[in-house]
Amino acid sequence: EAQVTQNPRYLITVTGKKLTVTCSQNMNHEYMSWYRQDPGLGLRQIYYSMNVEVTDKGDVPEGYKVSRKEKRNFPLILESPSPNQTSLYFCASSLWGRDTQYFGPGTRLTVL
Amino acid sequence: AQKVTQAQTEISVVEKEDVTLDCVYETRDTTYYLFWYKQPPSGELVFLIRRNSFDEQNEISGRYSWNFQKSTSSFNFTITASQVVDSAVYFCALSEPFGGGYNKLIFGAGTRLAVHP
């Protein structure tokens, strides 16, 4: 089944404790992206990647890191999480840049 | 700058009513894509439709229909004979074009639709 998977789905952590949210797609998509969803703001792009080893900042990249060492994986790293990063995070992928993006199931992160 | 406005924060209807979700967008580009996604209570984002800026033909898919009007920069979504399963948050999004395969979706704030029995 073609899909985007994220792990973990739920995470509660404390300020400053490094964490990684994994994202994987099995559709051989070139483009992958991370968004965060906050009430009243819709979804905003954090980082994106057009291909392996090619990543760039979206609209709200502060406090996040990403890497794209393999085509299928695009982990999101929070090196020192803060409470304002409490949010619902979505990974998305598309075949190429202008194609429809398909989203993972979301990761609900709470930073205390 | 690109922007998507969904002015209706919440809509509440009774089952079998028709409901229209409004979406107004702003862009200076002549080539762009518009999308609707559904987010049911379970939280995932489900792709509903993509429209490119050169295709103003309205689309119907079962009880769903979309009205794209470039003259008013609107891409409205109508659910006919709504059902309880339609209860969800609906997002309208604009694809911001860029060179080299870049693809960023600009989302509206979403409209929460509650369909009551």
Side-chain angles (χ1 to χ4, degrees):
Chain A
E1 180 190 352
Q3 59 183 352
V4 179
T5 57
Q6 294 179 228
N7 282 291
R9 295 289 312 280
Y10 303 91
L11 179 60
I12 300 174
T13 189
V14 295
T15 299
K17 185 176 181 181
K18 182 179 178 180
L19 65 93
T20 299
V21 184
T22 64
C23 173
S24 183
Q25 50 91 7
N26 62 1
M27 297 170 279
N28 202 36
H29 284 174
E30 300 280 341
Y31 184 92
M32 297 185 75
S33 183
W34 277 101
Y35 294 83
R36 62 177 286 173
Q37 181 183 356
D38 301 292
L41 297 177
L43 284 83
R44 294 174 293 166
Q45 190 182 58
I46 303 171
Y47 268 95
Y48 66 94
S49 169
M50 291 193 284
N51 212 327
V52 176
E53 302 293 0
V54 180
T55 64
D56 208 346
K57 298 176 181 178
D59 292 323
V60 288
E62 293 76 23
Y64 304 95
K65 284 177 60 177
V66 293
S67 68
R68 186 96 181 270
K69 293 182 169 47
E70 306 167 277
K71 196 173 187 179
R72 63 182 292 129
N73 295 323
F74 190 45
L76 179 69
I77 303 158
L78 287 72
E79 297 222 324
S80 183
S82 61
N84 64 12
Q85 292 178 296
T86 293
S87 188
L88 179 57
Y89 291 87
F90 286 98
C91 181
S93 73
S94 62
L95 185 58
W96 60 291
R98 298 297 301 278
D99 199 10
T100 298
Q101 291 186 46
Y102 294 94
F103 287 80
T107 295
R108 187 166 294 282
L109 172 65
T110 301
V111 183
L112 302 174
Chain B
Q2 283 79 1
K3 184 180 177 182
V4 175
T5 301
Q6 295 179 256
Q8 304 151 307
T9 304
E10 293 189 28
I11 299 176
S12 181
V13 300
V14 177
E15 217 171 11
K16 297 184 183 175
E17 281 186 38
D18 298 348
V19 58
T20 295
L21 309 181
D22 298 333
C23 174
V24 174
Y25 62 93
E26 295 176 28
T27 181
R28 295 181 191 170
D29 300 293
T30 56
T31 304
Y32 51 89
Y33 290 91
L34 293 163
F35 301 80
W36 277 94
Y37 286 86
K38 174 183 179 180
Q39 187 175 43
S42 51
E44 72 271 24
L45 280 164
V46 178
F47 165 71
L48 295 178
I49 190 171
R50 179 176 85 155
R51 221 47 186 163
N52 76 55
S53 53
F54 297 108
D55 183 2
E56 286 193 75
Q57 196 168 20
N58 291 333
E59 178 145 347
I60 298 174
S61 176
R63 296 184 297 106
Y64 294 173
S65 62
W66 290 270
N67 182 284
F68 176 29
Q69 292 195 346
K70 284 180 77 170
S71 60
T72 55
S73 296
S74 65
F75 186 43
N76 296 337
F77 173 29
T78 298
I79 301 175
T80 302
S82 59
Q83 299 175 2
V84 173
V85 293
D86 296 325
S87 297
V89 180
Y90 291 87
F91 290 98
C92 180
L94 168 70
S95 179
E96 181 178 284
F98 206 82
Y102 175 57
N103 181 9
K104 180 172 77 173
L105 288 174
I106 309 295
F107 281 85
T111 297
R112 182 178 298 277
L113 173 64
V115 181
H116 302 284

